[in-house]
Amino acid sequence: MAGNDNWINSYLDAILDAGKAAIGGDRPSLLLRERGHFSPARYFVEEVITGYDETDLYKTWLRANAMRSPQERNTRLENMTWRIWNLARKKKEFEKEEACRMSKRLPETEKTRADATADMSEDLFEGEKGEDAGDPSVAYGDSTTGSSPKTSSIDKLYIVLISLHGLVRGENMELGRDSDTGGQVKYVVELAKALSSSPGVYRVDLLTRQILAPNFDRSYGEPAELLVPTTGKNSKQERGENSGAYIIRIPFGPKDKYLAKEQLWPFIQEFVDGALSHIVRMSKAIGEEIGFRHPVWPAVIHGHYASAGIAAALLSGSLNLPMAFTGHFLGKDKLEGLLKQGRQTREQINMTYKIMCRIEAEELSLDASEIVIASTRQEIEEQWNLYDGFEVILARKLRARVKRGANCYGRFMPRMVIIPPGVEFGHIIHDFDMDGEEENPSPASEDPPIWSQIMRFFTNPRKPMILAVARPYPEKNITTLVKAFGECRPLRELANLTLIMGNREAISKMHNMSAAVLTSVLTLIDEYDLYGQVAYPKHHKHSEVPDIYRLAARTKGAFVNVAYFEQFGVTLIEAAMNGLPIIATKNGAPVEINQVLNNGLLVDPHDQNAIADALYKLLSDKQLWSRCRENGLKNIHQFSWPEHCKNYLSRILTLGLRSPAIGDREEQSNTRISRRKRIVVVSVDSGSKEDLVRIIRNAIEVIRTQNMSDSTGFVLSTSLTISEIHSLLVPAGMLPTDFDAFICNSGSNIYYPSYSGETPNNSKITFALDQNHQSHIEYRWGGEGLRKYLVKWATSVVERKGRTERQIIFEDPEHSSTYCLAFRVVNPNHLPPLKELRKLMRIQSLRCNALYNHSATRLSVVPIHASRSQALREKSDLHPPTIAKVRFSIFNYETGQHRPSNCQNRTNLAPGVVLKVLVYTLGDRGTQRCSPRR
């Protein structure tokens, strides 16, 4: 290292300068461009420290400098220098990889988008082109800007909301206890309460996970909780006009363990089974309560966040009911942000956050949703536009064509509906006039207890209070706020800073990421010597949050939210509701919120000087402060929950599926399967017919040796056609009537075998097609438009040998049906991954399920609500209101043995020797559930 002394020393000097700037507060920047002293080394170190939050580098330098041993000092300094260099190198490698990935991906996506648009032979009318420029209702579907849509006559609506993660309860919410218990929990609980108090709504169920884990309150294990409305004495519940809002906790996953949202993915289908049983029972009960002769099905199933989105999609498909989706914080946006930080590769991010599962769930939600509820236009144009399943320009064209009744060639995009989040106005206590002075001062003893818990931190509690309410997460950018406050001496002299960062017992017991952020905050407070100027209480109740806002307003302070990106901005609305002006990030929803409220200033969250300047300007200019306060209180009504619910219900009613028709079950009521108490589902696929026959025969023989009575029925689930099944079973000496039903064509058809005559001896076997299932799965089926595109795509899939190309995928009309497009595969070794085909279909706005089967010698494309597992859930005969037990076994036909498995409700088979058997032990069947038609 002797030859590199100058190089090392330049970087060490830059680190020293960085430390001085952090403490001095009067140096505007390390770059010093304005004084002509730009230093590449300083710039380099500043970028590394900013990007990696390496605030301990300066301390390391000081410790090294204080060492008496030159050798030890030099070793420490050398290691620190290489650490800086390695961090920067890794960041540049990540950036280069992502740039390369994007450069390949964008042209392919753009070409596919162009193909989809080219199929639209008709262009927009001139008048529609003019509308598109400024009317989001044409571009996306609907918006709350302007006049609200007319609300149809509604009565006795049943609405189902789903939010799976976090700690969900109606009172004393533990917001901030962990990273999963935050704004979304508060939002869905308040939405459920507000909807239940809206005209025409009879019942609202908020479905979440039952938690029986130790160290968690027993209330999270209660199966049901009635939510107390916040509408006062005139609530509909007291007048007996509806059933109210409930939190329904469905057990799924480990019973005695609390799971973070990243750990819930393997158990989603278990939740769906439990939720399906609850909805069926409740729909029947509501029908009896209000005197209907048939069940009252949910008007909508609304998923919140990706995991609940995929659950809502499965429930929507099973019940044939409309789905709505709210993404909250979207996975692709989070992925982009993490990649820009340069700390982790895409693979590392996926391992930590299961981000690819999350993104695929969001894509599936786009496939199945009727409407997607966003809070701002920015969310639609900059976030949802990143997804394969949505594109602004194509959505605009499709929307315009639908309005004109033109052919969309099987393409569909969900309606993007802009509805800002609401707030509970019941918490407002207007005890200040428009200038911020108290109208009716109260004795000090009557002050809320949380006030004294905050004020004890301050040397001078009369200063204006800068208030931030955010969990200690990197994206909330709390450390930049503390730096902005600590480095601006005039701001420190003018105001105090209060940080409400959730609830904690000990930092050592917090999540690693939250603990790191909180440690950084406390370190900065120490470095800037901000004791007596910053409050950071460990505990607060959810009910005390309005009091905290009021305290900041009483001191004529300001609310600040400088997150790198803000999805909803509910805290901004709450602050305005309590008469508190705001300083907010210019990235995300705050832009549109401030356009309505006009009660503060927007800043670049990466620019701490801009944050400090905006805070000082707002707090030092009393006229500006009063004007912002007045504007916020005057315009806040536009974000009330009643206004939110009015817009929400008006959109839900446009779906036209509030009272689904009851399917005709007369044909199926005479089938044998309707009288079974136990059903064994044999789900099997293989490239060899001999293997298939052997697997099916051995499976039935083994199961029949387990003393099963005649009340047990058999269902064969496969990707084969009904003719293939017949030609397979009969030559092998098995009768189709040995089975009660056949789920075939990859779940797109269900057949019931029977004899055409009075006795089996003089009759032939017939197969009755389940017409109700057919009408069920036709939802969003692309039909001929989808077939034409798939044929075109198949010609592009080739096997290359030198300069020659040979097509390997061909249309297979013989094995196709109305709702199953089959393709023959010549060489499975050259097949593209299914995810590529799904991506192409989504970019084309063609919604479908695609799967390879028969050892990848066949490709089947079916509707989005068609699959073998969904066929089991959808049919009332196979899934009655009560399921007493579900056992899943793996059977090896070569050994004749089977073993239980922890995996449940999975019907996809690995080809070859493994057979999966589902055994449904049915409870009291009661009245047969009828699947409503679309």
Side-chain angles (χ1 to χ4, degrees):
M1 292 295 293
N4 294 325
D5 285 346
N6 292 335
W7 178 74
I8 294 174
N9 289 333
S10 68
Y11 284 103
L12 295 179
D13 288 340
I15 295 169
L16 177 60
D17 287 339
K20 290 178 180 177
I23 291 183
D26 53 354
R27 263 184 99 206
S29 171
L30 289 176
L31 303 184
L32 303 178
R33 291 182 184 272
E34 63 277 8
R35 288 190 268 173
H37 297 145
F38 174 71
S39 166
R42 290 173 180 169
Y43 175 77
F44 174 76
V45 172
E46 183 182 59
E47 288 298 300
V48 173
I49 292 177
T50 302
Y52 289 87
D53 197 27
E54 293 292 313
T55 54
D56 61 330
L57 289 175
Y58 176 65
K59 288 184 176 180
T60 305
W61 191 94
L62 289 179
R63 286 196 296 268
N65 198 43
M67 291 179 178
R68 295 182 179 179
S69 169
Q71 183 177 358
E72 186 178 1
R73 174 179 179 275
N74 291 338
T75 301
R76 181 178 288 271
L77 295 180
E78 180 179 334
N79 290 337
M80 186 169 60
T81 304
W82 280 108
R83 179 182 179 187
I84 296 173
W85 177 82
N86 187 55
L87 288 173
R89 187 192 60 158
K90 283 178 59 179
K91 184 174 182 179
K92 290 190 179 298
E93 286 177 354
F94 295 161
E95 291 174 348
K96 184 177 179 180
E97 289 175 4
E98 282 305 306
C100 182
R101 187 194 299 266
M102 294 302 296
S103 66
K104 293 180 180 179
R105 176 182 176 185
L106 288 176
E108 296 174 358
T109 302
E110 290 302 318
K111 183 180 182 302
T112 310
R113 298 276 190 210
D115 291 342
T117 306
D119 285 343
M120 304 292 179
S121 57
E122 301 176 7
D123 206 348
L124 301 179
F125 293 148
E126 291 301 318
E128 289 170 338
K129 289 180 181 179
E131 281 184 308
D132 293 347
D135 184 5
S137 68
V138 177
Y140 320 123
D142 272 313
S143 171
T144 58
T145 56
S147 58
S148 299
K150 293 182 180 180
T151 304
S152 305
S153 175
I154 57 176
D155 190 30
K156 310 300 184 185
L157 289 182
Y158 175 31
I159 295 173
V160 173
L161 310 176
I162 305 174
S163 183
L164 299 182
H165 64 261
L167 301 170
V168 183
R169 65 183 180 189
E171 303 297 330
N172 300 320
M173 285 181 274
E174 299 181 85
L175 302 181
R177 172 166 175 168
D178 61 16
S179 59
D180 291 350
T181 309
Q184 180 182 325
V185 170
K186 182 175 185 291
Y187 177 89
V188 293
V189 170
E190 291 185 359
L191 175 61
K193 292 179 180 180
L195 282 173
S196 70
S197 300
S198 301
V201 177
Y202 184 76
R203 180 180 172 112
V204 179
D205 281 345
L206 170 55
L207 308 186
T208 190
R209 181 171 182 248
Q210 186 182 47
I211 299 169
L212 300 171
N215 303 323
F216 288 87
D217 194 89
R218 289 189 298 176
S219 60
Y220 300 118
E222 293 296 326
E225 176 186 348
L226 173 64
L227 292 174
V228 179
T230 57
T231 52
K233 296 182 178 180
N234 295 325
S235 67
K236 294 193 307 179
Q237 281 81 354
E238 292 189 9
R239 299 200 307 269
E241 294 181 8
N242 73 353
S243 180
Y246 293 82
I247 296 175
I248 303 298
R249 300 183 178 91
I250 307 293
F252 67 98
K255 291 184 178 180
D256 58 348
K257 187 176 181 181
Y258 174 74
L259 296 179
K261 58 180 177 290
E262 292 82 10
Q263 299 172 303
L264 290 176
W265 297 107
F267 310 105
I268 298 296
Q269 290 199 353
E270 186 181 347
F271 165 81
V272 171
D273 288 337
L276 183 59
S277 295
H278 167 79
I279 293 172
V280 170
R281 289 195 304 269
M282 190 51 57
S283 296
K284 179 182 175 183
I286 294 174
E288 294 174 352
E289 287 175 9
I290 62 180
F292 284 15
R293 290 181 295 177
H294 55 76
V296 175
W297 301 101
V300 69
I301 297 176
H302 187 167
H304 292 266
Y305 193 78
S307 55
I310 195 170
L314 292 170
L315 285 167
S316 170
S318 297
L319 292 167
N320 205 19
L321 294 170
M323 172 187 167
F325 180 63
T326 300
H328 294 271
F329 192 28
L330 298 183
K332 278 204 172 182
D333 195 65
K334 183 180 182 71
L335 176 61
E336 297 267 331
L338 291 172
L339 288 172
K340 286 179 182 178
Q341 292 179 15
R343 299 186 185 187
Q344 296 175 292
T345 64
R346 183 179 291 261
E347 291 71 24
Q348 290 170 334
I349 293 170
N350 186 47
M351 187 178 298
T352 303
Y353 299 101
K354 302 296 185 292
I355 202 76
M356 301 316 295
C357 283
R358 178 171 166 182
I359 291 172
E360 177 61 19
E362 289 160 344
E363 292 280 13
L364 287 170
S365 299
L366 284 174
D367 289 343
S369 294
E370 293 277 358
I371 60 174
V372 175
I373 296 176
S375 59
T376 64
R377 291 189 67 174
Q378 188 275 347
E379 180 183 344
I380 297 171
E381 295 173 352
E382 297 184 19
Q383 295 182 63
W384 279 118
N385 206 45
L386 295 171
Y387 285 76
D388 299 330
F390 181 79
E391 200 268 333
V392 170
I393 296 176
L394 189 55
R396 178 182 296 121
K397 288 184 175 291
L398 288 170
R399 183 70 176 162
R401 294 178 70 86
V402 169
K403 285 189 173 183
R404 302 201 313 268
N407 187 0
C408 290
Y409 307 101
R411 290 176 169 83
F412 179 89
M413 279 193 184
R415 291 166 53 195
M416 290 285 172
V417 179
I418 302 171
I419 308 179
V423 293
E424 288 187 356
F425 281 88
H427 288 310
I428 298 182
I429 304 176
H430 290 292
D431 56 356
F432 305 103
D433 62 21
M434 298 309 293
D435 292 325
E437 300 297 335
E438 285 192 74
E439 294 178 345
N440 298 300
S442 302
S445 59
E446 295 183 8
D447 288 346
I450 190 66
W451 288 14
S452 60
Q453 295 179 31
I454 293 174
M455 290 300 193
R456 66 187 176 89
F457 283 89
F458 299 133
T459 303
N460 184 357
R462 294 184 176 273
K463 288 183 180 181
M465 178 192 294
I466 300 170
L467 172 64
V469 179
R471 288 173 293 166
Y473 252 48
E475 57 264 27
K476 297 301 182 181
N477 201 25
I478 301 173
T479 53
T480 300
L481 172 61
V482 178
K483 290 177 183 178
F485 182 77
E487 293 185 18
C488 183
R489 190 176 302 278
L491 184 60
R492 296 204 312 265
E493 293 174 351
L494 174 66
N496 292 321
L497 176 63
T498 295
L499 304 173
I500 305 298
M501 299 177 288
N503 290 282
R504 63 186 184 278
E505 294 299 331
I507 297 178
S508 60
K509 297 180 180 180
M510 297 174 65
H511 185 277
N512 290 342
M513 191 172 296
S514 298
V517 171
L518 189 54
T519 301
S520 296
V521 168
L522 297 177
T523 300
L524 289 170
I525 290 173
D526 185 71
E527 288 185 0
Y528 294 121
D529 194 16
L530 299 178
Y531 298 105
Q533 296 174 285
V534 180
Y536 41 94
K538 294 179 64 173
H539 302 285
H540 71 280
K541 298 177 182 177
H542 170 59
S543 58
E544 293 176 324
V545 174
D547 294 327
I548 299 173
Y549 287 120
R550 289 175 54 230
L551 176 60
R554 168 179 280 190
T555 64
K556 297 186 179 180
F559 181 80
V560 59
N561 178 337
V562 288
Y564 292 124
F565 182 88
E566 182 56 61
Q567 183 78 19
F568 275 120
V570 171
T571 53
L572 299 174
I573 300 171
E574 292 175 337
M577 181 180 66
N578 288 278
L580 198 56
I582 65 170
I583 300 295
T585 176
K586 67 176 185 180
N587 298 333
V591 175
E592 294 178 47
I593 290 175
N594 196 53
Q595 287 175 353
V596 176
L597 297 179
N598 191 24
N599 70 327
L601 304 174
L602 301 178
V603 295
D604 180 353
H606 298 277
D607 189 342
Q608 69 184 55
N609 292 327
I611 295 170
D613 291 344
L615 284 167
Y616 186 81
K617 179 180 179 181
L618 180 61
L619 296 178
S620 61
D621 188 337
K622 297 303 180 183
Q623 291 184 346
L624 174 62
W625 187 91
S626 297
R627 186 165 63 250
C628 288
R629 172 187 169 85
E630 182 177 353
N631 290 342
L633 291 172
K634 180 176 64 177
N635 299 318
I636 192 64
H637 69 278
Q638 299 186 50
F639 294 99
S640 67
W641 274 119
E643 187 71 16
H644 178 98
C645 292
K646 176 184 175 183
N647 288 304
Y648 179 93
L649 293 172
S650 67
R651 271 65 178 191
I652 297 303
L653 291 174
T654 61
L655 303 179
L657 296 171
R658 182 167 58 90
S659 300
I662 299 298
D664 182 6
R665 310 296 286 184
E666 182 177 352
E667 179 182 1
Q668 289 175 232
S669 63
N670 296 323
T671 60
R672 290 176 299 161
I673 199 171
S674 63
R675 298 184 291 274
R676 302 295 192 188
K677 292 184 178 180
R678 173 177 293 185
I679 296 180
V680 177
V681 182
V682 180
S683 181
V684 59
D685 263 331
S686 176
S688 167
K689 291 185 178 181
E690 293 76 14
D691 281 349
L692 280 173
V693 171
R694 196 186 322 169
I695 291 171
I696 295 170
R697 179 189 288 115
N698 289 354
I700 293 176
E701 290 177 359
V702 169
I703 294 171
R704 281 178 172 167
T705 60
Q706 297 183 353
N707 299 322
M708 292 189 177
S709 64
D710 293 338
S711 62
T712 299
F714 290 89
V715 172
L716 180 61
S717 176
T718 178
S719 61
L720 299 174
T721 65
I722 192 64
S723 60
E724 287 179 298
I725 292 173
H726 187 270
S727 63
L728 188 73
L729 297 179
V730 174
M734 290 182 286
L735 294 175
T737 50
D738 291 340
F739 294 86
D740 291 341
F742 296 100
I743 298 173
C744 50
N745 291 103
S746 296
S748 61
N749 294 114
I750 297 178
Y751 287 94
Y752 303 98
S754 63
Y755 292 105
S756 59
E758 295 180 358
T759 62
N761 296 330
N762 60 1
S763 302
K764 67 176 183 179
I765 296 175
T766 61
F767 297 93
L769 178 64
D770 190 328
Q771 297 292 343
N772 193 55
H773 178 69
Q774 295 291 99
S775 65
H776 180 103
I777 65 172
E778 67 183 0
Y779 176 64
R780 288 194 187 165
W781 180 235
E784 185 63 17
L786 173 63
R787 189 194 71 81
K788 287 181 178 179
Y789 185 80
L790 286 170
V791 171
K792 178 182 176 182
W793 167 80
T795 61
S796 68
V797 182
V798 296
E799 173 188 356
R800 291 180 174 86
K801 290 186 177 180
R803 296 184 178 181
T804 62
E805 295 182 349
R806 185 166 68 100
Q807 185 176 342
I808 63 172
I809 299 179
F810 298 87
E811 187 179 10
D812 188 1
E814 180 183 354
H815 296 109
S816 297
S817 64
T818 305
Y819 298 107
C820 179
L821 300 175
F823 291 81
R824 178 171 50 90
V825 179
V826 176
N827 190 344
N829 295 325
H830 293 269
L831 279 177
L834 269 179
K835 64 179 181 180
E836 290 186 10
L837 177 56
R838 294 192 186 105
K839 176 184 176 69
L840 285 173
M841 295 299 101
R842 284 167 175 158
I843 292 175
Q844 288 282 332
S845 301
L846 294 166
R847 314 292 177 170
C848 57
N849 283 334
L851 59 153
Y852 295 126
N853 44 53
H854 295 285
S855 298
T857 60
R858 186 183 297 179
L859 167 67
S860 297
V861 180
V862 296
I864 60 169
H865 285 329
S867 71
R868 287 185 279 171
S869 57
Q870 278 297 91
L872 293 177
R873 288 187 174 87
E874 181 264 327
K875 300 315 295 173
S876 62
D877 294 315
L878 305 186
H879 205 309
T882 302
I883 297 182
K885 180 180 180 182
V886 180
R887 186 176 75 249
F888 172 73
S889 300
I890 297 179
F891 174 79
N892 188 317
Y893 76 87
E894 292 183 339
T895 64
Q897 297 178 347
H898 69 94
R899 59 183 175 83
S901 172
N902 292 329
C903 304
Q904 295 190 7
N905 308 327
R906 298 168 61 183
T907 59
N908 296 323
L909 277 179
V913 302
V914 176
L915 168 69
K916 296 182 179 180
V917 181
L918 288 166
V919 182
Y920 284 81
T921 304
L922 309 182
D924 182 14
R925 300 186 68 91
T927 304
Q928 293 296 319
R929 175 172 68 84
C930 301
S931 179
R933 296 180 186 272
R934 278 199 180 273

